[in-house]
Amino acid sequence: MTAEALFGAAVVGLYLTVLGLLAVQGLHRLSLLCLWRRHRRQRTPVPPVPGALPPLTVQIPLFNEPHVAVRAVEAAAALDYPRARLEIPVLDDSTDDTPARVAAAVGAIRARGVDIVHIRRGSREGYKAGALAAGLRRARGQLVAVFDADFVPPPDFALRLVGHFADPRVGMVQARWGHLNRDHSALTRVQALLLDGHFLIEHFARHRSGLFFNFNGTAGIWRRRAIEDAGGWQADTLCEDLDLSYRAQLRGWRFVYVPEVVVPAELPVEMGAFKTQQHRWAKGAIQTARKLLGEILRSPLPLRTKVEAFFHLTAHSGFVLLLLLALAMGPAMWLRRDLPAWTLAAVDLPVFALTSASVALFYAVVHREGAGRSCGGLRLLPLLMAVGIGLCVVATRAVLEGLFARKPAAFERTPKYGLPARARLARVARGCPPARDTWVEAALAGYFAALLGAAAAAGLWASLPFLLLFGAGFGY
């Protein structure tokens, strides 16, 4: 076999292997949808509020959040919980003017009789995990709620969740995220749909099926003893919430998900902030998989729990597969140009159905459940798929760093601008140079523009929709 033939066989083999692995992920997505459908009519039992409410600590970790910090502090102070049982430590590691704004707000709230304190560590050691661990050492609450700076809990948040801790096996109760600025732009609408898929389908299906799911870093309440029993907050991953969640459940603690309680938050309003967030989540999830997956697979847990944990913790590997598919698509298309159309359809269509169609079906259901209708959400599906493709560069870098980087990872905060954000965002965006991933994405957009022209000239019409989708994703 010639070198050219070997190269062609390797490229086509890589292309088909990647498609097959993406199809497996598509099957997993459909399995979650089936689990959701089986349990979708179940509602979370509403336990009575205990007569003697346990002491509650509300932690608000901050780092350079000048536009949203005061709003978060005021929302926490407005929680409907007995003042004698509530304390609010604001864990502020900021290096900008956030501390001055927060200090003024904390002073005014304390004057109203709320037990609130502004804590400054003087360093960012351990980042968010370090701040939470330091705050926990001086907390007096048996229960610990956590809110990121852009979240605005409703006043009845604590009272609607605290009753679940009457079961001594419950270690954490998670509420659902809402979206303060869902309709700000097409980008925020896509993000809202992606997050709704996580909370409306994935979390629900896992919890109701007795599988592991995770605390999302905010909008939930922990039993302090569960945190301590699992080894406490640890800063060796960028997803300290996911890490602690799996360690606690491996120790036997039960988690409860309450989708009926919604805590709204602000979505990133510009692409750079969104990519920063996605990089942190992808890298942190892979770090957690590297840290805990072996222990999970060796544990006496049921096989289905282990399988779901594997898919959950390695989900971001799908972005690596997408990037490999993008690179192989052009050569594979050209090398197979002389094959009969029926042969290509027999191989490609079932796989593309499991990948593309599973995404479309999944998020059509998500939109119907979240917004009460399905047709409107269908207009977002092409953009959602394009955004997912476009993220594969930054997410692949994150996955590789999570797998192979050994030095401690820096925690990059997702910038939030408060509402309204348009004027402030315009000032910020003018000073932002293109990130390193942007040049790679631009090159890939040009690559797919060339492929579109070549495919049209060669009459490969069936390839055009997929090439257009990939090119649009990288270009966007």
Side-chain angles (χ1 to χ4, degrees), residues 274-291:
F274 177 50
K275 286 161 68 174
T276 295
Q277 180 191 71
Q278 295 300 310
H279 176 273
R280 186 176 71 247
W281 288 355
K283 184 173 180 177
I286 293 298
Q287 288 173 323
T288 304
R290 191 180 75 185
K291 176 179 178 179

Side-chain angles (χ1 to χ4, degrees), residues 185-201:
S185 65
L187 177 61
T188 56
R189 285 191 286 272
V190 166
Q191 290 178 71
L193 195 58
L194 288 168
L195 286 170
D196 285 349
H198 179 66
F199 283 95
L200 289 172
I201 305 296

Side-chain angles (χ1 to χ4, degrees), residues 69-91:
V70 172
R71 181 182 66 188
V73 170
E74 291 176 343
L79 288 174
D80 185 11
Y81 209 81
R83 290 292 174 252
R85 296 274 178 173
L86 177 69
E87 66 169 357
I88 306 172
V90 183
L91 312 172

